Amino acid sequence: MNHVDRILKHVKRAKTKLLLCCIGSFVLAALIIGSPKTGTSESPLLPNNLPLQNPSGLHATFSTSGSIDLRNEFFQNLGTNGRNCGTCHRAEEGWTITPAGVQERFNRTKGTDPIFRTNDGSNSPNADVSTFKARRDAYSMLLTKGLIRVGIGIPNDAEFELAAVDDPYEFASTSELSLFRRPLPSTNLKFLSTVMLDGRETFSGQTIHFDLSHQSNTATVTHAQGADLTDQQRESIVAFETGLFTAQIYDEHAGRLSARGAKGGPVNLANQEFYLGINDLFGDSKTGAPFDPIVFNIYDAWKGLSDKGQNRARAAVARGEELFNTKLIRISDVSGINDEAAFGTPAVVNGSCTTCHDTPNSGNHSVAAPLNLGLTDAERRTPDMPLYTLRNKTTGEIKVTTDPGRALITGKWKDIGRFKGPILRGLAARAPYFHNGEGRLAGVLEDVVACYTEPVSMPW
C-alpha cells in the first residue's frame, strides 16, 4: 500500500465522522492534487488540512510549503532494509507510530512490513523471526507499546558503571544497553529546543537546523541501514519536516476547535511565535520579560459559555486550559529542578504545569531542560522492560532504572533518568503518551495527569 492510498483510507474514515457529526462533507476526488510532473496518484501532493481520525476526533497537518509532497526524500527508501522516514512517522498517527497502527501492519503483512526489522524493531537484534509466531514474540514491544529499541553503550569516561543487568531478552550489556522508546513526532519541529529524548542529536554551539540535519543522516544510517545522505538530501528532509504543523481540528464533544473564536488547529499553530528561550523561567531570552505562567490562551474565547450541549464541552476545555496554566503544583524530588543550582536546589518548587511546559501554545520547554519524572525508576518497571543497576564509580551509590536517559550521552551521574519533555500539540493522535509506552500511566490522558501525583503534588 503506497503512501497516498494509506492516507486516503484514513481520510475516508474522517469524512464519515464529519458527515455523522453534520459539519459538512468532502469530495475525496478534490483531496488529491496530482503531481505537477506526472499527474498521477502514485506521486501526489496532498493538500493541507486533510482530516484524519483519532480516538478523540480529528487531527490535520498544515505544511508551510502549501501541500505535503509524498515524493520528498522523507518518503524515499534511502537505506537497504526497505525503510524510509515515513515508516515510523505517519501522518495518520500524529507523525509517529501507535500500537494500533503497528498491529494493523503486522497482521496485514504477517510481520514483514519494513518496520519489522531486527536492527531496532525487535526486542533483541538476535531474535528469532523465522515464523509468524516467532515474529509476534520478537516484535512484542513494538506491537504492544509502539517502542523502538535504541542501543547505546555506557561512555568509557562515565561517572558510573553497569553493576547488573536484568534483560528478559538476554542481549543488553555495558557496550550496548537496550532502551525502548517511542519515536518522536516529526511535526511541529519549529518549537524544538532539544533534538531526541536524550538530547543526543543536540550539539553545543549549533542551530536546531544543524541538529535536525545530523539526525536525518543518523536515522538513515542506523534505522534504514543506509549510507550517509548527501547534503541535498539532508536539506530536503529538514525543509519538509520543519514545515509541518499538526494539531487537533475537531473534538467529538466540543466540535470544531476553531469555532466561536477558538484558535485550535494547525494553521494557527504555524503562526505561533517561537524562539529559543521564549518565556523562559529565568526571563525571556529576547525581551527579558519575566516568565508568564499563562502559556495557553487558544481557548480563552470559550470561557463562560452556557452549560448546554456542545458549549458545555467547550467550557470544559477552557477550564482545562485555565487549570493547566494556574493550578498549583508542589514540585519535589524531580531531578533537573530540585537538585539544580540554577533553581537554588529547593526542596519544593511551587509551580504549575507551565513551569515545565513554558512555550506559548506549544507546551514544551523553550530551552534544553531534561528532567527525571521517575518514569524509568525500578518501581515502575514492567516485566517486559530490561532493568539496569548502575553504580557511581566514586561513591558506590546505586541507582536502578529501565533507561538511564541523558546520562548515557553525558556520562553524568546526575543525568540518570532525565529526558526532555514533549511538544504537547496533536497529542490525541499518538497515545500512549510517555516515551516508554508505559500503559499503566499513559493509556489515556487522565492517567498522564494521575502520574503527576507522585513526583509532584497536585492539591486538588
Side-chain angles (χ1 to χ4, degrees):
M1 182 181 296
N2 62 32
H3 298 301
V4 65
D5 290 338
R6 190 189 77 241
I7 292 175
L8 284 181
K9 178 181 178 182
H10 287 267
V11 170
K12 289 178 181 178
R13 292 176 183 171
K15 178 193 175 188
T16 300
K17 175 169 285 193
L18 289 170
L19 288 169
L20 290 174
C21 297
C22 300
I23 63 171
S25 63
F26 290 87
V27 180
L28 284 178
L31 293 180
I32 300 179
I33 303 172
S35 161
K37 292 184 178 180
T38 64
T40 72
S41 63
E42 294 300 317
S43 55
L45 303 176
L46 292 180
N48 282 330
N49 300 314
L50 286 177
L52 295 169
Q53 185 175 0
N54 59 59
S56 296
L58 304 171
H59 67 278
T61 296
F62 171 83
S63 172
T64 55
S65 68
S67 59
I68 299 171
D69 189 351
L70 300 185
R71 301 163 301 177
N72 185 272
E73 282 84 348
F74 187 93
F75 299 102
Q76 294 177 14
N77 296 331
L78 302 176
T80 61
N81 61 9
R83 287 176 170 178
N84 55 61
C85 300
T87 302
C88 293
H89 301 279
R90 297 199 153 196
E92 65 271 29
E93 296 170 52
W95 293 95
T96 177
I97 54 174
T98 62
V102 173
Q103 291 164 18
E104 187 279 327
R105 279 193 267 179
F106 186 90
N107 294 331
R108 176 166 45 82
T109 67
K110 299 187 183 301
T112 62
D113 183 272
I115 197 172
F116 302 109
R117 297 291 183 262
T118 56
N119 59 310
D120 59 13
S122 57
N123 302 338
S124 161
N126 300 328
D128 175 17
V129 294
S130 61
T131 67
F132 180 71
K133 181 183 183 306
R135 289 192 289 275
R136 185 175 294 279
D137 292 338
Y139 298 112
S140 64
M141 295 291 269
L142 184 56
L143 287 165
T144 60
K145 297 181 178 180
L147 299 175
I148 291 291
R149 191 189 70 86
V150 179
I152 302 178
I154 296 177
N156 292 331
D157 60 351
E159 297 174 352
F160 56 90
E161 59 190 358
L162 184 63
V165 57
D166 177 12
D167 182 2
Y169 315 111
E170 301 180 342
F171 176 77
S173 66
T174 296
S175 61
E176 186 175 332
L177 278 63
S178 289
L179 315 166
F180 291 92
R181 302 172 180 174
R182 308 251 359 256
L184 286 164
S186 57
T187 186
N188 300 332
L189 302 186
K190 169 184 177 178
F191 305 103
L192 285 179
S193 57
T194 305
V195 178
M196 307 304 287
L197 286 162
D198 54 16
R200 68 182 183 275
E201 292 286 355
T202 299
F203 299 93
S204 178
Q206 297 291 348
T207 64
I208 292 293
H209 184 99
F210 175 92
D211 298 340
L212 288 171
S213 176
H214 193 278
Q215 186 273 333
S216 70
N217 187 69
T218 302
T220 301
V221 172
T222 57
H223 302 308
Q225 297 176 297
D228 287 334
L229 298 177
T230 66
D231 290 344
Q232 184 277 327
Q233 289 170 326
R234 295 189 192 196
E235 287 301 307
S236 180
I237 291 172
V238 173
F240 173 81
E241 59 188 7
T242 54
L244 299 178
F245 294 86
T246 302
Q248 198 80 347
I249 60 171
Y250 181 83
D251 178 79
E252 287 185 335
H253 304 290
R256 288 187 301 111
L257 298 181
S258 57
R260 297 198 62 160
K263 298 178 181 178
V267 176
N268 287 319
L269 183 60
N271 292 323
Q272 178 67 47
E273 182 183 25
F274 176 76
Y275 46 84
L276 291 175
I278 190 173
N279 197 38
D280 183 54
L281 292 176
F282 298 102
D284 190 288
S285 63
K286 281 190 176 181
T287 68
F291 166 67
D292 183 356
I294 308 303
V295 167
F296 281 91
N297 60 19
I298 54 180
Y299 297 112
D300 283 1
W302 286 357
K303 291 180 179 179
L305 289 179
S306 62
D307 196 26
K308 296 180 181 180
Q310 201 172 58
N311 282 344
R312 180 177 183 178
R314 290 173 176 171
V317 170
R319 290 195 301 272
E321 179 182 75
E322 185 175 6
L323 284 170
F324 191 93
N325 288 335
T326 63
K327 181 64 181 178
L328 174 65
I329 298 178
R330 301 186 188 280
I331 304 170
S332 61
D333 298 320
V334 175
S335 179
I337 294 181
N338 301 106
D339 59 355
E340 281 294 331
F343 290 93
T345 59
V348 177
V349 171
N350 290 325
S352 69
C353 295
T354 60
T355 301
C356 298
H357 300 279
D358 61 12
T359 299
N361 292 319
S362 165
N364 60 308
H365 213 104
S366 68
V367 298
L371 304 176
N372 181 0
L373 297 179
L375 298 176
T376 64
D377 288 355
E379 294 77 11
R380 295 191 189 276
R381 184 221 188 171
T382 51
D384 53 2
M385 280 283 187
L387 189 67
Y388 304 105
T389 301
L390 306 176
R391 180 169 51 229
N392 188 300
K393 291 178 180 178
T394 301
T395 67
E397 183 182 354
I398 294 292
K399 289 185 179 181
V400 186
T401 179
T402 58
D403 190 334
R406 179 70 177 154
L408 291 180
I409 310 305
T410 66
K412 301 295 185 182
W413 180 253
K414 71 176 185 177
D415 286 338
I416 292 174
R418 292 186 182 183
F419 297 88
K420 78 162 192 170
I423 294 168
L424 298 182
R425 299 299 295 276
L427 272 181
R430 59 178 198 261
Y433 302 106
F434 286 127
H435 75 267
N436 59 356
E438 176 55 84
R440 179 173 65 88
L441 294 173
V444 294
L445 283 173
E446 287 85 349
D447 292 336
V448 175
V449 176
C451 166
Y452 289 96
T453 63
E454 296 178 31
V456 299
S457 174
M458 301 179 75
W460 299 108

